Amino acid sequence: HVVSSGRWLALATLSLLVACTSRPLQEPPIKVRWTRDPESLDPLLLANQYAADAANLLYGSLLQVDFSTRNFGPALAANLPKVELVGDSLTRLSYQLRAAATWDDGTPITGHDVALTLKLMYCPGLPNEGARAQAGFIQAIEVDSRQPQRFTLVCHGQAPEFVQASGDFFILPEAALDPQHELRAVSLPTLQRRPATTAPDSALARLARHYRAALPSPTQPHSVLGCGAYELTSWQKDQSLRFRRKTRWWADQLSPRPLVLEARPSRLEFAIIPDDATAALALQRGDIDLVIQDMNFHADTTSGEEGDIKACYEHGATAYVVKPLDFTQFREALRTIQAFWTSLNRPPRTN
């Protein structure tokens, strides 16, 4: 998902929160300041960067950014896709989903969920123009009938960025949105060729209705759409959002677990504080632990290996912090990092 370069440190620090190990049973929530409300948690239309940050807690994608390297790594996918160039105008990207990847009810995530998600991008009545533009190069999907966790994306054109873009959208559950599997009979190319002025048929109308009803909102924070590590428990518009770590999340079965699937804190709270001075006072009082703002990129990790340190600096890190495993020490380290970048560090003046 699109991340401005100035937010790499902020998001890397947020990934520090999510990736730290050693979880006490009754730990207090990590409290983070946001400058504005996310406005919507619709995965097809993320209104601002805070909406994207929240969506990454709730939903899952095939690939996800590893903030220690700024590269995409496998998340729901078991590996990066196998690339096959066909002639001079097509690319086939073959994916295998992780065997452990499931929805919250325990049912496997399959290529049919990926297919339904792509079809949502062409469903009338939904705010899907941006998602459609992002994934418009995908012109067909082929799901393996015998092993539905395998599928191939057929892409128009040939470009290196197709690998990253093909995995950079949130996967949504077919069972919740199209329980009768009506859309399986409708191919993706058929929907892509469908004139925008054509009235939706009954199956597409039901799909749009189910989708809108399932979206999280301030009045209905719980949603069945996500396979991410967190669930939204409270959303007070323009005030706060609270997230709780799922007690039974599919990635907990993985050993070792990749960094992109780490989910450390039991609870996360985001306070909406537009004013910088008010946020600084809240930070001093201990009402919040972290202020998300534009800062330089640095790496936070439990590894102290020289090779890992060297690799992070080669990827543009300006600092390297070995994360404490103890929660109290971790929280103190977080505050020290925040104090350095916000109080002691002197960036150059900009016009």
Side-chain angles (χ1 to χ4, degrees):
H1 310 92
V2 177
V3 180
S4 61
S5 59
R7 285 182 55 84
W8 275 102
L9 169 79
L11 295 180
T13 304
L14 190 56
S15 74
L16 162 69
L17 301 177
V18 177
C20 188
T21 55
S22 177
R23 184 192 310 167
L25 292 177
Q26 297 296 328
E27 68 180 33
I30 296 294
K31 300 179 180 180
V32 182
R33 177 257 187 147
W34 280 350
T35 60
R36 61 182 297 186
D37 192 88
E39 299 179 17
S40 167
L41 294 181
D42 184 338
L44 291 177
L45 178 65
L46 299 173
N48 54 53
Q49 189 62 56
Y50 299 114
D53 295 348
N56 276 301
L57 299 174
L58 296 172
Y59 308 113
S61 52
L62 299 174
L63 309 177
Q64 193 165 315
V65 175
D66 180 339
F67 287 106
S68 68
T69 64
R70 302 199 197 187
N71 292 323
F72 275 72
L76 291 175
N79 300 285
L80 294 176
K82 178 183 177 182
V83 180
E84 177 189 0
L85 302 181
V86 182
D88 58 2
S89 61
L90 290 180
T91 303
R92 292 174 62 86
L93 302 174
S94 298
Y95 276 96
Q96 168 75 58
L97 292 166
R98 294 184 189 273
T102 64
W103 299 105
D104 291 347
D105 63 1
T107 59
I109 298 172
T110 73
H112 293 299
D113 297 307
V114 181
L116 190 280
T117 302
L118 289 169
K119 292 172 184 178
L120 269 172
M121 299 178 187
Y122 297 89
C123 181
L126 297 179
N128 48 20
E129 293 83 1
R132 189 185 311 161
Q134 177 185 350
F137 65 95
I138 302 173
Q139 65 178 31
I141 178 170
E142 301 168 359
V143 180
D144 190 316
S145 59
R146 291 179 296 179
Q147 299 184 58
Q149 287 176 308
R150 292 182 178 180
F151 62 92
T152 297
L153 302 177
V154 182
C155 309
H156 178 69
Q158 296 177 350
E161 57 267 25
F162 281 180
V163 170
Q164 172 180 312
S166 70
D168 189 24
F169 55 90
F170 296 118
I171 307 304
L172 303 172
E174 180 190 47
L177 301 176
D178 183 25
Q180 303 302 317
H181 302 164
E182 294 178 278
L183 270 296
R184 287 193 188 183
V186 182
S187 70
L188 183 61
T190 298
L191 290 176
Q192 291 173 329
R193 292 192 299 264
R194 189 175 182 278
T197 55
T198 304
D201 60 25
S202 56
L204 288 172
R206 277 190 291 272
L207 177 63
R209 186 168 61 250
H210 289 159
Y211 181 77
R212 288 191 294 265
L215 289 174
S217 67
T219 56
Q220 179 185 286
H222 179 70
S223 173
V224 298
L225 295 182
C227 60
Y230 290 86
E231 57 185 347
L232 180 66
T233 59
S234 172
W235 181 359
Q236 294 180 288
K237 186 71 171 175
D238 296 319
Q239 296 183 48
S240 66
L241 289 88
R242 294 181 173 87
F243 295 83
R244 180 173 57 212
R245 172 59 152 83
K246 294 174 181 175
T247 55
R248 300 178 68 180
W249 182 43
W250 66 266
D252 292 334
Q253 305 172 52
L254 301 180
S255 181
R257 188 187 311 173
L259 181 62
V260 297
L261 292 175
E262 289 289 355
R264 165 47 206 88
S266 296
R267 290 182 292 161
L268 288 166
E269 294 185 8
F270 297 90
I272 313 301
I273 308 177
D275 181 67
D276 289 341
T278 303
L281 289 173
L283 188 65
Q284 292 176 3
R285 292 194 303 264
D287 295 338
I288 55 177
D289 301 305
L290 177 66
V291 173
I292 295 292
Q293 62 186 50
D294 291 348
M295 293 182 276
N296 290 329
F297 175 76
H298 73 274
D300 303 275
T301 173
T302 55
S303 171
E305 295 293 326
E306 187 62 32
D308 293 337
I309 296 174
K310 182 179 179 181
C312 281
Y313 278 109
E314 288 176 347
H315 279 90
T318 54
Y320 188 100
V321 179
V322 178
K323 296 183 298 188
L325 296 180
D326 177 77
F327 181 76
T328 302
Q329 294 177 3
F330 153 70
R331 197 163 190 160
E332 185 58 35
L334 182 64
R335 288 175 177 168
T336 302
I337 294 169
Q338 181 73 45
F340 170 77
W341 287 111
T342 58
S343 301
L344 299 177
N345 180 56
R346 290 294 182 91
R349 293 182 179 181
T350 57
N351 294 327

